Structure formats: structure tokens, C-alpha cells
DNA sequence: ATTAGTTACGCATATCGTAACGATG
DNA sequence: CATCGTTACGATATGCGTAACTAAT
């Protein structure tokens, strides 16, 4: 039977051209490679090399054998990696969410319900979350609406999870400071501070206020500094606790549009024997 | 690195359910299998089994590892077989012919021109020969006409090789015995003796004489006996030497149709560096 | 003289089988 | 008590590196 260690030496010889180089690269003695090449010819039952007195080259058959050797090595490596990844996946609950806020409630609940499992979450656009659901890359998805008919397999369940309302947050001397509420239409054209990792809120703001510019801050401290020191409006929601240290005396004005009042939905595979019952208990209430 | 021998033991365990059975089937001691399974868990870096004190089963990860093991074993086996097949192909000239007669001249010529090569020939229908050419399953093809434009890749060359004329062969008291020549139309409706391995002649006779029945003889001696003892007409060609021992006093009457007068053509890949020049020399004259 | 490949030899260690043990049904 | 899996031990074989040799540039 073929031996992958021998395959590796064959591949190394093919790559480096001489037995000596291959031996050096693989940290074995040069006679070892000689022996292995001889043994490979026995294994394959054909001659793989052209030999002159002090030179050895792959012949046409040898080159073909090399291509198989390389492929087998890749496959074997991939097998190990995949088995390890599968093992990890058995102990991991993967969540893809369209926004950060649902995770603040969801992750503690999951951690409580599945104390032995690793939780892995990521925030991405609605489209990416949908893809993750469909491909099975996540076990739980959080989307801002009930997914459209046909956008996900029928076996998946969708359950309302929590509401979140978007608001703008302005300094007391800002022209909006006295408003009870404000619409996207009115806001459109003003520039905003925008933190990263807002998921779909990010997309929605750009869509609803195409004339506005969003000054994206990747660094959290910079963001906080700008909130204090600039008069630019920023966004908050009713789910995040309002932190005076950050927002100082800024004033929160709810956005009046329906689109700014979101009910997040949890989506999961209703036929998953391992998780569906537990998820049902968690989310069906 | 993974070891295919260990993969085989893992696959055997999966197949036979217990370590003991696997050991027995593979003709190794049972502790060997125990050790191998332990070693496999180290290699993969994950646990692959559920163990109780005197029982061991594959867990979910283990089953996945098994599927990779099986695949790797298949691939490795296929690699060896393919390399051997490739080696053979390097020393073999494969000819697909639509009829036997051209091979009688072609094979000796090839044997002469390529004394170190093995010759491998087969007789099949025109369609099969065309497929063999297109798929590269044969190096040389013999077809009854110049292949139609587009039926084979443009890089292929077609050269006339030899002619063959079909005739019927009847006893002296047969009603056709006095004819100078005879057409398919006249022959249509009569029944004939037909040897196997006639290639495209077989198809042509059935096409041109749809009302006739062909009594196919697979055994050569039965065929010869029937030629002697029956008055049924059979087919001969001008290429096969007329053997009195077989045909006795039978009389040969040429078939007058154009379709019974064939020029065989050799077809080969004109871009094949190894063979095209030699083939050109053999067939371009 | 240097580099490359093969062969010979001796040692280290890996691997296997036997045997003994423990657990289970 | 028959079956199954693990552990321990000793023999052997496998495989490696060193060294010596040949050939080529």
C-alpha cells in the first residue's frame, strides 16, 4: 500500500529537482530518499525515473505519479483539518446576526441553556446572514424581519425575538434638540458619526438617507471622543443602555419611520434533532 | 501525517463493528487494532470513539473520519492503477478499426515501424471508432470514409489506406452463380451466413438488405462447416485470400453498389509529437 | 574538488504478537 | 464463561544515519 510519507518525499524530489535537496528540505539523510524512490517504484510496479550514473530524473510516468502524490497529500491534510473542524462544530453554536443588540440578550441565554457549548457569533449584512442560514454555516440567525417565503428552506422556523427602535442623539444646542421625534426624510442630508459593527442598521441608514455622509469610526475611543467633542449627530437605540459617560448631555430623539422600529426574528432549522427542541423552548414563548 | 495502513484498519473497524473482527479480517492481532485506533486519535487530534469498559464505538466525528479514510484508500488505489495504466499506454499503440481487413496490413506495418511497442487493436462499429478517436482512447483509427467535417477535431489527419470490395459467395448450383455481379437490391430478401467481427460491413449489410436475415455464427468452425454443408450465401472480400479448404467450389460474385467498394482511411492526431511524424511517413505516400 | 546517487553496515526504535488482565452481559 | 478491549512485555523487523564507493562536472 502507498505510504504518505513516501509520497511527501516524492513530491519534495519533484519540487527540488535532486535527491540531496529533497533530503535537506525534509531533514532526512540523502540515502533515505534514494531508498524511498526505489521503494516507490516497487509499490507502483513501474519505473518512475531515468537514471544515469550520478543523476536521476522523473520520467513521464514518474511525473504522473507525482501529481497523484501531491493530490493525495492535499486530500489527507484536508481530511485532518475537516475532521477537526467538524469536531469543533459539534461543540459550537454559531450565530449570525444582522445587528449587535440581539446578541446582547441571545448569547447569555444560549450560554445558560448550553453551558458546555462554545458560542461563536458574528454580525453581518442581512444578505450574508441569509446565506449563512441557507448554507448551514450558522445554527441560529437573527434577521430584522420574517424572511420572505422561499428565501430560506421550508423546514426553517422564524420566531419574533425582541424589538429595537433607532434614534438620533444630538448635543443640546443642535437644531433637532427640541424635536419629539424626527423622520429619515428630515435627517437626510445631515452628516453623522457612525460606529462600525452596526450590521443592517448601517445599510438602512445609507439607504434611507442617501444625501447624508457617514463618518465611520472604527476605533471605539475615537468614536467616544468625537461624540463628546463634536456636534455631529450619532445613532443610539432603546436597547443599549444610555451611558452618560459617553453621551454627556446629548439628547435622544426617536426616529418616527416604521423602518426604524424593528422586530428581530430568530431563524433556525426546525428539523435539527439536536437543537430544534431546545431552540423551540427558548424562543416559542 | 496520516498513514494509509491505519486508514485501512479504521475502515475495517467501521465495516465489521468490533476491533476483534477487524483484526481477524486483516490478519493482524487484536491489540494492533487497539493501538492503531489510539494512534489515529492522536493523529487527528480529536476523539473518534465512545468507549465503555469493554466496548468501543465510532462517535460522530469518528464516522466522518471513516468516510475520509475510505475515500483516501480508494484514491490511493486508483492512483496506483492509473500510473500503471499510463505506463502501459506509453508502450502501446492502440488501433480501433471498423473492419478486420485493414488490420491485416496495418498491424504488421506498425509492428515493423515500432518494434518495441505493444499493439492493441479492436474492431467496432464506425460510431465506436469515432468515439475512440475523439476521446483519445485510440492512437490510430480506421474508418470506411473520410470523416465528415466537424465529426473529429481539426488537428486530426485522415489518409486513404486501402480499398476493399465486398462480394457474395455462393455454391455453383445457386441461382446467382452465373451472375457477373449483383446488387444489394437483388440480394435483399435472401438469407445469409454472417461471421462475427465484421465491423461496419455487418452494419452495412443490415442497412442495405433490410428484408434479409443474417444467421450470425460466433464460432469459426461452425461457420466453416455451414459454408461447406449449406447452400446459403455468405460474404467475402477481395482482401481476404480465397481459401479453397473453406469455400470449396463456391463462386464469388462482386457486389455492384458503390457502397460495397470501400476505401479505408487512417485517422490520427496530427499534433501528437511522439507519433504524428512516424505516422505521416507511414501513411502519407 | 565538489556534487550527486547508490550500496553496505550497524544501531535504534517502531511495530507486532503473545500473554495477562479487567469488564460486561 | 465467552467476548471484547486495554495494557505489559519481549522478539523482530523496519528504517534510519554514517560511511564508503562511483561517476560526472
Amino acid at each position: 500500500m502507498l505510504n504518505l510519507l513516501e509520497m511527501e518525499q516524492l513530491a519534495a524530489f519533484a519540487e527540488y529537482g535532486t535527491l540531496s535537496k529533497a533530503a535537506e528540505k525534509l531533514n532526512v539523510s540523502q540515502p533515505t530518499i534514494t531508498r524511498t524512490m526505489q521503494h516507490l517504484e516497487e509499490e507502483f510496479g513501474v519505473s518512475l525515473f531515468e537514471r544515469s550514473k550520478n543523476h536521476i530524473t522523473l520520467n513521464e510516468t514518474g511525473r504522473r505519479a507525482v501529481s497523484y502524490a501531491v493530490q493525495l497529500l492535499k486530500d489527507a491534510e484536508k481530511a485532518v483539518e475537516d475532521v477537526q473542524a467538524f469536531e469543533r462544530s459539534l461543540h459550537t453554536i454559531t450565530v449570525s446576526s444582522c445587528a449587535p443588540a440581539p446578541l446582547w440578550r441571545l448569547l447569555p441565554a444560549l450560554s445558560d441553556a448550553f453551558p458546555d457549548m462554545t458560542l461563536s457569533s458574528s454580525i453581518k449584512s442581512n444578505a450574508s446572514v441569509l446565506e449563512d442560514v441557507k448554507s448551514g454555516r450558522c445554527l441560529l440567525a437573527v434577521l430584522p424581519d420574517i424572511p420572505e417565503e422561499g428565501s430560506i428552506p421550508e423546514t426553517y422556523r422564524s420566531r419574533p425575538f425582541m424589538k429595537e427602535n433607532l434614534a438620533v442623539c444630538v448635543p443640546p444646542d443642535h437644531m433637532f434638540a427640541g424635536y419629539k421625534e424626527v423622520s429619515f426624510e428630515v435627517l437626510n442630508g445631515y452628516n453623522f458619526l457612525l460606529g462600525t459593527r452596526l450590521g443592517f442598521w448601517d445599510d438602512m441608514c445609507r439607504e434611507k438617507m442617501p444625501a447624508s455622509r457617514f463618518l465611520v469610526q472604527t476605533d471605539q475611543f475615537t468614536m467616544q471622543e468625537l461624540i463628546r467633542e463634536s456636534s455631529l449627530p450619532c445613532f443610539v437605540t432603546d436597547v443599549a443602555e444610555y451611558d452618560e459617560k459617553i453621551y454627556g448631555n446629548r439628547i435622544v430623539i426617536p426616529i418616527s419611520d416604521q423602518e426604524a422600529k424593528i422586530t428581530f426574528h430568530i431563524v433556525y432549522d426546525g428539523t435539527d434533532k439536536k437543537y430544534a427542541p431546545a431552540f423551540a423552548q427558548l424562543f416559542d414563548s
Side-chain angles (χ1 to χ4, degrees), chain A:
Chain A
M1 179 161 343
L2 294 185
N3 177 328
L4 291 179
L5 273 169
E6 294 186 338
M7 296 292 115
E8 186 180 36
Q9 296 188 10
L10 178 62
F13 170 57
E15 182 172 1
Y16 300 114
T18 72
L19 300 187
S20 325
K21 284 270 172 60
E24 194 188 334
K25 297 285 181 178
L26 295 178
N27 294 315
V28 294
S29 73
Q30 188 274 336
T32 299
I33 309 279
T34 292
R35 273 192 298 268
T36 298
M37 299 304 123
Q38 290 165 345
H39 188 229
L40 278 170
E41 289 186 305
E42 288 175 28
E43 278 296 333
F44 278 105
V46 300
S47 95
L48 303 171
F49 309 98
E50 308 284 358
R51 300 164 199 269
S52 59
K53 283 292 178 184
N54 75 336
H55 199 63
I56 183 170
T57 327
L58 286 162
N59 65 22
E60 210 171 340
T61 311
R63 283 191 289 277
R64 180 162 282 229
V66 166
S67 72
Y68 279 108
V70 169
Q71 190 58 47
L72 284 171
L73 288 168
K74 274 189 204 158
D75 291 347
E77 198 180 355
K78 192 156 171 301
V80 173
E81 283 167 10
D82 185 283
V83 166
Q84 290 173 347
F86 181 75
E87 169 70 13
R88 272 195 302 278
S89 81
L90 285 180
H91 300 133
T92 306
I93 292 178
T94 345
V95 183
S96 292
S97 176
C98 64
L103 293 178
W104 302 336
R105 285 194 196 168
L106 181 58
L107 294 182
L110 288 172
S111 173
D112 204 44
F114 303 94
D116 298 332
M117 304 289 287
T118 302
L119 301 180
S120 166
S121 64
S122 57
I123 296 166
K124 26 184 100 171
S125 70
N126 290 356
S128 300
V129 172
L130 257 177
E131 269 183 41
D132 285 359
V133 178
K134 286 192 281 189
S135 69
R137 272 195 297 273
C138 70
L139 227 45
L140 281 175
V142 182
L143 288 164
D145 285 300
I146 301 174
E148 291 169 32
E149 195 75 20
S151 68
I152 51 169
E154 281 190 15
T155 61
Y156 281 71
R157 292 195 193 160
S158 172
R159 294 285 178 271
F161 180 62
M162 59 176 269
K163 292 177 190 299
E164 184 175 31
N165 302 313
L166 194 64
V168 288
C169 184
V170 297
D173 55 351
H174 195 279
M175 71 164 286
F176 293 144
Y179 287 39
K180 265 258 159 65
E181 55 177 28
V182 66
S183 69
F184 282 130
E185 195 179 349
V186 171
L187 291 170
N188 189 19
Y190 288 89
N191 296 338
F192 295 87
L193 287 171
L194 196 60
T196 50
R197 301 248 144 213
L198 285 188
F200 94 105
W201 287 123
D202 191 295
D203 296 334
M204 173 175 291
C205 291
R206 292 174 197 277
E207 187 191 325
K208 292 288 175 187
M209 296 174 281
S212 294
R213 298 195 56 187
F214 300 93
L215 311 171
V216 175
Q217 300 304 315
T218 52
D219 182 67
Q220 199 179 346
F221 298 101
T222 311
M223 180 71 174
Q224 291 175 12
E225 192 65 20
L226 287 173
I227 289 172
R228 273 193 298 276
E229 300 300 331
S230 81
S231 60
L232 286 165
C234 64
F235 296 100
V236 294
T237 83
D238 58 340
V239 176
E241 56 203 272
Y242 182 87
D243 188 343
E244 284 203 359
K245 275 182 217 143
I246 297 173
Y247 296 103
N249 53 1
R250 281 192 176 225
I251 291 164
V252 173
I253 303 125
I255 299 176
S256 54
D257 303 61
Q258 269 310 312
E259 289 90 341
K261 293 161 187 171
I262 285 296
T263 298
F264 291 109
H265 285 72
I266 300 268
V267 177
Y268 64 91
D269 181 357
T271 62
D272 185 314
K273 285 179 189 170
K274 194 168 168 189
Y275 295 106
F279 288 165
Q281 201 165 4
L282 275 173
F283 305 122
D284 272 5
S285 63

